[in-house]
Amino acid sequence: MALALAIISVFVGIALGLRFKVLVLVPAIASAIIFVVIAGLARGDGFGSIVLAMAIVGIALQLGYLVGIALAKRIQ
């Protein structure tokens, strides 16, 4: 589950980086973490697994955002 969420998070981060300022990451990461917690609880995952998935998704969003900013600067 964490790998699929990480890949999706990278693409979402790229899209956010191409269009928005850095402050958009705060609600995006908060929403993603809430989603990961709900999905983890629904699947019956352990606490450590949920925390690891939260960290992976947060980092993936930020890295995707960084790539999106680099692409936006490259396009201009």
Side-chain angles (χ1 to χ4, degrees):
M1 178 176 95
L3 180 62
L5 288 176
I7 292 170
I8 293 168
S9 296
V10 168
F11 286 124
V12 169
I14 290 172
L16 292 175
L18 287 171
R19 180 77 177 116
F20 297 105
K21 302 271 184 205
V22 72
L23 289 179
V24 77
L25 282 177
V26 175
I29 291 173
S31 299
I33 286 176
I34 291 170
F35 175 76
V36 167
V37 168
I38 291 171
L41 290 175
R43 292 184 58 197
D45 291 341
F47 178 74
S49 175
I50 293 173
V51 170
L52 181 63
M54 288 171 29
I56 289 171
V57 167
I59 292 169
L61 264 171
Q62 292 177 25
L63 289 175
Y65 185 84
L66 182 65
V67 170
I69 289 176
L71 286 173
K73 294 297 179 184
R74 182 93 118 144
I75 292 171
Q76 291 180 359

